[in-house]
């Protein structure tokens, strides 16, 4: 079969069932029941492990995208058609400097606006909009003042009530939930939705399973992929469901998103073979 690398070069792979190769981008579906994460589809061939950041989101037009920061500090935007090797050639939506951020992820504010969030060297939380055209990421809004660089994990998602949140894990291992009103400095005070132990995970991110349920995903020290529900009230994150058995801690990147068909997926970049 044929497909493209992150640089847009055509490659040919003879056997989809061959062992995974370093730098491949895999796509999984989670049905929400124990151990039922699907077999992966190799949507991108080679080179994905080389990025500084790799995450998914939506631009202001509501298009589902995969974002990456290359070695030149450019912010790239890809589309995933959902079929083997068919991730598109990238659009350079941000010109230079993106490698300098401490953390980088996407989400929505409480107004439902699609944003790209970044933590700079001063620990401020910045919010950008991606218009979807070359170089047109907006100027940032400083939605959080200082201290955001101290978190071990920082990502966005939705609780089971459908409220848009920014999640963070503090030095005590608590899982915090913030709301971003979208105006300067107006990120809310946090709610402690999970008590202790969240700092021990290898990966922590949010997503939606194939049933449309909002989830928080985590990879534990055994390499299992766990799925939690956040009720949005203090300490009420659910007990986990083990949706994937073993091996998940070996990836370079692990995150969730949607392909162009609107299918909810879990993406993984292979670190090594």
């Amino acid at each position: 079969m044929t497909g493209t690398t992150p640089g847009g070069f055509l490659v040919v792979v003879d056997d989809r069932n061959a062992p995974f190769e370093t730098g491949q981008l895999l796509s999984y579906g989670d049905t929400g029941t124990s151990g039922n994460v699907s077999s992966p589809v190799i949507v991108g061939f080679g080179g994905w492990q080389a990025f500084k950041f790799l995450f998914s989101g939506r631009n202001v037009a509501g298009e589902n995208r995969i974002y990456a920061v290359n070695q030149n500090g450019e912010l790239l935007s890809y589309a995933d058609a959902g079929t083997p090797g068919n991730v598109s050639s990238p659009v350079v939506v941000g010109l230079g400097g993106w490698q300098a951020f401490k953390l980088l992820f996407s989400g929505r504010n409480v107004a439902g606006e699609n944003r790209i969030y970044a933590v700079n060297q001063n620990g401020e939380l910045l919010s950008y909009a991606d218009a979807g055209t070359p170089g047109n990421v907006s100027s940032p809004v400083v939605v959080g003042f200082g201290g955001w660089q101290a978190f071990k994990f920082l990502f966005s998602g939705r609780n089971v009530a459908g409220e848009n949140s920014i999640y963070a894990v503090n030095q005590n291992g608590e899982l915090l939930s913030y709301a971003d009103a979208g105006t300067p400095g107006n990120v809310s005070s946090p709610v402690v939705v999970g008590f202790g132990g969240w700092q021990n995970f290898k990966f922590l991110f949010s997503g939606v399973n194939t049933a449309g349920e909002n989830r928080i995903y985590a990879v534990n020290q055994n390499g299992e992929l766990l799925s939690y529900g956040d009720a949005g009230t203090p300490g009420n994150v659910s007990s986990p469901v083990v949706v994937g058995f073993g091996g998940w801690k070996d990836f370079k990147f692990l995150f969730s998103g949607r392909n162009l068909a609107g299918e909810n997926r879990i993406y993984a970049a292979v670190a090594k073979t």
Side-chain angles (χ1 to χ4, degrees):
M1 63 185 176
T2 61
T4 57
T5 67
F9 298 104
L10 184 68
V11 296
V12 178
V13 173
D14 294 327
D15 184 6
R16 182 184 157 195
N17 294 318
F20 300 137
E21 297 180 2
T22 299
Q24 290 177 327
L25 182 65
L26 312 180
S27 169
Y28 299 82
D30 166 29
T31 62
T33 53
S34 183
N36 272 330
V37 168
S38 69
S39 297
V41 178
I42 303 172
V43 294
F45 299 132
W48 295 87
Q49 85 290 356
F51 290 122
K52 171 76 183 288
F53 296 104
L54 189 63
F55 60 100
S56 67
R58 290 181 178 179
N59 59 27
V60 295
E63 298 168 324
N64 298 313
R65 309 299 292 178
I66 295 173
Y67 292 100
V69 174
N70 64 17
Q71 298 302 311
N72 296 324
E74 298 169 315
L75 179 64
L76 311 180
S77 171
Y78 297 84
D80 167 26
T83 51
N86 272 329
V87 169
S88 68
S89 296
V91 177
V92 181
V93 294
L95 308 173
W98 293 84
Q99 82 284 1
F101 288 122
K102 173 76 173 179
L103 297 163
L104 195 62
F105 61 101
S106 67
R108 287 182 176 181
N109 59 26
V110 295
E113 298 169 322
N114 298 311
R115 309 298 292 178
I116 295 172
Y117 292 99
V119 175
N120 63 18
Q121 297 301 313
N122 296 324
E124 297 170 314
L125 180 64
L126 312 180
S127 171
Y128 297 83
D130 167 26
T133 51
N136 271 331
V137 168
S138 69
S139 298
V141 178
V142 182
V143 294
F145 299 136
W148 294 86
Q149 82 283 2
F151 291 123
K152 177 170 183 186
F153 296 105
L154 193 62
F155 59 100
S156 65
R158 287 182 174 180
N159 60 27
V160 295
E163 298 168 322
N164 297 312
S165 297
I166 295 174
Y167 292 100
V169 175
N170 64 17
Q171 298 301 309
N172 296 324
E174 297 169 316
L175 179 64
L176 312 180
S177 172
Y178 296 84
D180 167 26
T183 52
N186 271 331
V187 168
S188 69
S189 298
V191 177
V192 182
V193 294
F195 299 137
W198 294 85
Q199 80 282 6
N200 295 324
F201 290 122
K202 172 68 184 292
F203 294 104
L204 192 62
F205 61 100
S206 66
V208 183
N209 62 25
T210 58
E213 298 168 323
N214 298 313
R215 308 299 292 176
I216 295 173
Y217 292 99
V219 175
N220 63 18
Q221 296 302 311
N222 296 324
E224 298 169 315
L225 179 65
L226 311 180
S227 170
Y228 298 82
D230 167 26
T233 52
N236 271 331
V237 168
S238 69
S239 297
V241 178
V242 182
V243 294
F245 299 135
W248 293 86
K249 66 180 178 180
D250 297 329
F251 291 119
K252 171 71 181 291
F253 296 104
L254 193 62
F255 59 100
S256 65
R258 287 184 175 181
N259 60 26
L260 290 182
E263 298 169 324
N264 297 310
R265 308 298 293 176
I266 295 173
Y267 292 97
V270 179
K272 58 184 178 180
T273 54

